[in-house]
Amino acid sequence: MKMNEARAGRPGLLPALLGWANSIAWFWIWVGAIGFVLTVHLAFLVAWPDHFIHEDGGAYIIQAESILKGQYIEDAIKRPYGVAVFLVLLSKLFGPHILVFVIAQHLMSVGTALLVAATVRLAGAPRFFALLAFFFAALHGRIIHYDNTVGAETISNFLVSLAAFIAAGAAFRNWPPFLASACVGLTLGALMVCRSAAIGQAVVILLWLLLVLDARLLRRLGALGLAAVLASAVYLTPTAINAVVGKRSSGNEILAVISFVIGYSGDFDHGIHLEHKAQAREYVAKMRAADTSLGWPDVGEYQWPFGAVHRLKMAGENDADLERIARDIFIETLTTPSTLYRHLTGHFLREMDFLLFDANSVARRAPSPQGYEAFVQREPYPFFGSPTGFKRGQLIQDYYKPGWLLARFLPTADRLQGYLSEVMRHGYAPSSDLVQVCCGVLVSTEYDDLPGPIVWLSSATLGLALVLLIGVPASYAGFVRRVPRGLVAVGALMILLALVSAAFPAFLIYGFNRYGYYAIPFLGGSSAVLLWLLFESIRGYGGKSEAARGKAGA
C-alpha cells in the first residue's frame, strides 16, 4: 500500500520542480530587466551630470532651501509644497545636494514602471506581459530625460502608480478594502500636494475603485468616502500649517492656468467686461489669425494668451482685479455653449492629438539637455551644490570604485563608461535624425522634429479603448468570447489614467513635449494589456478550434 501511495505521489513531483524552476528563472529575468533599466538611467545621468534644472524646477529648489534655512514664512513661490517637502526629506536623510535629488528621481521612475507592471500582474496578466509593461513604462526617452531634471513630474507619476497599485490589490487580490482605501486616500492627498493638477488622476482612481471593488454598495461607498476624506485632509494640511504659523498666501497660478482658454476661445465681441475686452480685442484677433492647424512653431508663440490677458487690465486696477476679471471671462467661456464647443473641437482635440501623437513641432521636440545650461547658470543654487561642475563621464571616474574582490567580476571604470556611452547612442543622445535601437528598428531621439515612440504607445492605447468599447458589450451579448474581468478592468484604468493625464494640459492649449511624461507610463501599461488581450484571443481561438476538431472526430 505504501508503494502505491509513493507511486501516486510521483506525478506531482515533476510539476512542482518545474514550477519552482520557473519561479527562479523569472526572478533572475526581473533582476536582469531592472538592472538593464537602471543602467539606461545611469547612462543618461552620467552623460548630463550638470543640467538638472528645467523651466519650473527652480521654484521647488527655492522652496526647499527656504524650509531648510528656517525662512519658510518669507517664501513667495507659487507652487504646491509637496515636491519641496520631498526634497527637504532627502536633504535630511542624505544631505542637501542636487545630485541626490536627481538620483532619487531616477530610482522613483523605475519604481513607477515596476508599480505599473505589478498592477497589470495583479489583474491576472501572465508574467511576460507585466515585463513588457515595465519596459514600455521605463525606457521611453522622454521619461528618462525629465527624470534628470528636478521637478514635479517624477514624484507625481510615482504617487499615481502607487495609488493605482493599491487600488488594484483591493480589487483583484481581496486586500482589506478599508485599509487599502485609507492608503489610497493618503497617497492621493500627497499627490495633490505635489501637483494640484493631478486631481483628474485622483478622481479616476477613486471612481474605478468604487466600480471594481468586490463588495456591497454601502461598503464600497464607505471605502470611497474614507479615501476621499483622507485625501482632502492631506491636501489641506499645508493650508492649515500656513494658517497656524501665520504665513500669508503668495498667490497662485490661477491666472496662468486660465489665460490660454480665455485667449484661444473667449468671446471678445460679446458678453461681460466688454470695456476690458476691447483693449485686447485687436491683439487677440491678430494672434488667432496667425494660428494654424498645426499650432505654433515654438513654445514662445504658444504663450501669447498671457499678453492678451494682461491687456485686460485698465488704469487703476491691481493684480487682484485682473484675476477677478479673467476668472469671470473664463467661467463665461466654459458656460457658453458656443465658446465651449469651439474650445473642445477647435483646440482641445487638436492639442490631444499633438500631445499623444507628436503631431506638431512643439510636442515632438524636447530641448537638448545642453539647453538647460542657461537655467543652471542663470539661477545657481550653491546651497544644493548647483551647478555641480561635473563633466561627462566624471561621475564614473570619481565614484565607481569596486572593492578588490568585486573588481575581478565587474568592468573597469573605462569599460563601464564605454558601455554607458554606447547605450546613449541607441535613441537617448541628441540627434537630428532617426537612430537604430536594434534589429533594424529606427526611432526618434526626442531631440529631432520627428514623431517619437509615444506614437506607438498612444496608438496601442486607443486601439485597446476601441476594442473594449466594442468587444465588452458584444461579449455580454454573446457574440464573442468573454475576456478575463481583470483584463477589462486594468485596461480601462490604464486608458483613463493616460488620457486624463494628457487632457488637463491639452484643455489649457498646452500640449507640448514635457506633458507627455505624465501619460507615458500608463500608455505603456495599456499597450501591454492590448498584447495580453491579443494573446487571450489567440489562445481562445486555438481552444475553440481544438474543441471543434474533437467534436468532428466524435
Side-chain angles (χ1 to χ4, degrees), residues 125-143:
R127 290 185 178 94
F128 175 74
F129 298 102
L131 183 65
L132 287 181
F134 173 65
F135 282 137
F136 291 156
L139 290 176
H140 198 290
R142 196 168 309 181
I143 290 286

CSV table of all heavy atoms in Angstrom, one decimal, residues 125-143:
chain,number,residue,atom,x,y,z
A,125,ALA,N,-2.5,39.1,-15.5
A,125,ALA,CA,-1.7,39.0,-16.7
A,125,ALA,C,-0.6,38.0,-16.5
A,125,ALA,O,0.0,38.0,-15.4
A,125,ALA,CB,-1.2,40.4,-17.1
A,126,PRO,N,-0.2,37.2,-17.5
A,126,PRO,CA,1.0,36.4,-17.4
A,126,PRO,C,2.2,37.3,-17.2
A,126,PRO,O,2.2,38.5,-17.5
A,126,PRO,CB,1.0,35.7,-18.8
A,126,PRO,CG,-0.4,35.7,-19.2
A,126,PRO,CD,-1.0,37.0,-18.7
A,127,ARG,N,3.2,36.7,-16.6
A,127,ARG,CA,4.4,37.5,-16.2
A,127,ARG,C,5.0,38.2,-17.4
A,127,ARG,O,5.6,39.3,-17.3
A,127,ARG,CB,5.5,36.6,-15.6
A,127,ARG,CG,5.1,36.0,-14.2
A,127,ARG,CD,6.3,35.2,-13.7
A,127,ARG,NE,6.0,34.7,-12.3
A,127,ARG,CZ,5.6,33.5,-12.1
A,127,ARG,NH1,5.3,32.7,-13.1
A,127,ARG,NH2,5.4,33.1,-10.8
A,128,PHE,N,5.0,37.6,-18.6
A,128,PHE,CA,5.6,38.2,-19.8
A,128,PHE,C,5.0,39.5,-20.1
A,128,PHE,O,5.7,40.5,-20.4
A,128,PHE,CB,5.4,37.2,-21.0
A,128,PHE,CG,6.0,37.8,-22.2
A,128,PHE,CD1,7.3,37.9,-22.5
A,128,PHE,CD2,5.1,38.3,-23.2
A,128,PHE,CE1,7.8,38.4,-23.7
A,128,PHE,CE2,5.6,38.8,-24.4
A,128,PHE,CZ,6.9,38.8,-24.6
A,129,PHE,N,3.7,39.7,-20.0
A,129,PHE,CA,3.1,41.0,-20.3
A,129,PHE,C,3.3,42.0,-19.2
A,129,PHE,O,3.4,43.2,-19.5
A,129,PHE,CB,1.6,40.7,-20.6
A,129,PHE,CG,1.3,39.8,-21.7
A,129,PHE,CD1,1.0,38.5,-21.5
A,129,PHE,CD2,1.5,40.2,-23.0
A,129,PHE,CE1,0.8,37.6,-22.5
A,129,PHE,CE2,1.3,39.4,-24.1
A,129,PHE,CZ,1.0,38.0,-23.9
A,130,ALA,N,3.5,41.6,-18.0
A,130,ALA,CA,3.9,42.5,-16.9
A,130,ALA,C,5.3,43.0,-17.2
A,130,ALA,O,5.6,44.2,-17.0
A,130,ALA,CB,3.8,41.8,-15.6
A,131,LEU,N,6.2,42.1,-17.7
A,131,LEU,CA,7.5,42.5,-18.1
A,131,LEU,C,7.5,43.6,-19.2
A,131,LEU,O,8.2,44.6,-19.2
A,131,LEU,CB,8.3,41.3,-18.4
A,131,LEU,CG,9.8,41.6,-18.8
A,131,LEU,CD1,10.6,42.0,-17.6
A,131,LEU,CD2,10.4,40.3,-19.3
A,132,LEU,N,6.6,43.3,-20.2
A,132,LEU,CA,6.5,44.3,-21.3
A,132,LEU,C,6.0,45.6,-20.8
A,132,LEU,O,6.5,46.7,-21.2
A,132,LEU,CB,5.6,43.8,-22.3
A,132,LEU,CG,6.1,42.6,-23.2
A,132,LEU,CD1,5.0,42.2,-24.2
A,132,LEU,CD2,7.3,43.0,-24.0
A,133,ALA,N,5.1,45.6,-19.9
A,133,ALA,CA,4.6,46.9,-19.3
A,133,ALA,C,5.7,47.6,-18.6
A,133,ALA,O,5.8,48.9,-18.7
A,133,ALA,CB,3.4,46.6,-18.3
A,134,PHE,N,6.6,46.9,-17.9
A,134,PHE,CA,7.7,47.5,-17.2
A,134,PHE,C,8.6,48.2,-18.2
A,134,PHE,O,9.0,49.4,-18.0
A,134,PHE,CB,8.4,46.4,-16.4
A,134,PHE,CG,9.7,46.9,-15.8
A,134,PHE,CD1,9.7,47.9,-14.8
A,134,PHE,CD2,10.9,46.4,-16.2
A,134,PHE,CE1,10.9,48.3,-14.3
A,134,PHE,CE2,12.1,46.8,-15.7
A,134,PHE,CZ,12.1,47.8,-14.7
A,135,PHE,N,9.0,47.5,-19.3
A,135,PHE,CA,9.9,48.1,-20.3
A,135,PHE,C,9.2,49.3,-21.0
A,135,PHE,O,9.9,50.3,-21.2
A,135,PHE,CB,10.3,47.0,-21.3
A,135,PHE,CG,11.3,46.1,-20.9
A,135,PHE,CD1,11.2,44.7,-21.1
A,135,PHE,CD2,12.4,46.5,-20.2
A,135,PHE,CE1,12.2,43.8,-20.7
A,135,PHE,CE2,13.4,45.6,-19.7
A,135,PHE,CZ,13.3,44.3,-20.0
A,136,PHE,N,8.0,49.2,-21.4
A,136,PHE,CA,7.3,50.3,-22.0
A,136,PHE,C,7.3,51.5,-21.2
A,136,PHE,O,7.4,52.6,-21.6
A,136,PHE,CB,5.8,49.9,-22.4
A,136,PHE,CG,5.7,48.8,-23.5
A,136,PHE,CD1,4.6,48.0,-23.6
A,136,PHE,CD2,6.8,48.6,-24.4
A,136,PHE,CE1,4.5,47.1,-24.6
A,136,PHE,CE2,6.7,47.7,-25.4
A,136,PHE,CZ,5.5,46.9,-25.5
A,137,ALA,N,7.0,51.3,-19.8
A,137,ALA,CA,6.9,52.4,-18.9
A,137,ALA,C,8.2,53.0,-18.5
A,137,ALA,O,8.3,54.2,-18.1
A,137,ALA,CB,6.1,52.0,-17.7
A,138,ALA,N,9.3,52.3,-18.6
A,138,ALA,CA,10.6,52.7,-18.1
A,138,ALA,C,11.6,53.2,-19.1
A,138,ALA,O,12.5,54.0,-18.7
A,138,ALA,CB,11.2,51.5,-17.3
A,139,LEU,N,11.5,52.8,-20.3
A,139,LEU,CA,12.6,53.0,-21.2
A,139,LEU,C,12.4,54.2,-22.2
A,139,LEU,O,13.2,54.4,-23.1
A,139,LEU,CB,12.9,51.7,-22.0
A,139,LEU,CG,13.6,50.6,-21.2
A,139,LEU,CD1,13.8,49.4,-22.0
A,139,LEU,CD2,14.9,51.1,-20.6
A,140,HIS,N,11.2,54.8,-22.2
A,140,HIS,CA,10.9,55.9,-23.1
A,140,HIS,C,11.9,57.0,-22.9
A,140,HIS,O,12.1,57.4,-21.7
A,140,HIS,CB,9.5,56.4,-23.0
A,140,HIS,CG,9.0,57.2,-24.1
A,140,HIS,ND1,9.4,58.4,-24.4
A,140,HIS,CD2,8.1,56.9,-25.1
A,140,HIS,CE1,8.8,58.9,-25.5
A,140,HIS,NE2,8.0,58.0,-25.9
A,141,GLY,N,12.5,57.6,-23.9
A,141,GLY,CA,13.5,58.6,-23.8
A,141,GLY,C,12.9,59.9,-23.1
A,141,GLY,O,13.7,60.6,-22.4
A,142,ARG,N,11.7,60.2,-23.3
A,142,ARG,CA,11.1,61.4,-22.7
A,142,ARG,C,11.0,61.2,-21.2
A,142,ARG,O,11.2,62.2,-20.4
A,142,ARG,CB,9.7,61.6,-23.3
A,142,ARG,CG,9.2,63.0,-23.0
A,142,ARG,CD,8.0,63.3,-23.8
A,142,ARG,NE,8.2,63.0,-25.2
A,142,ARG,CZ,7.3,63.2,-26.2
A,142,ARG,NH1,6.1,63.7,-25.9
A,142,ARG,NH2,7.6,63.0,-27.5
A,143,ILE,N,10.8,60.0,-20.7
A,143,ILE,CA,10.7,59.7,-19.3
A,143,ILE,C,12.1,60.0,-18.7
A,143,ILE,O,12.2,60.7,-17.7
A,143,ILE,CB,10.3,58.3,-19.0
A,143,ILE,CG1,8.8,58.1,-19.4
A,143,ILE,CG2,10.5,57.9,-17.6
A,143,ILE,CD1,7.8,58.7,-18.4
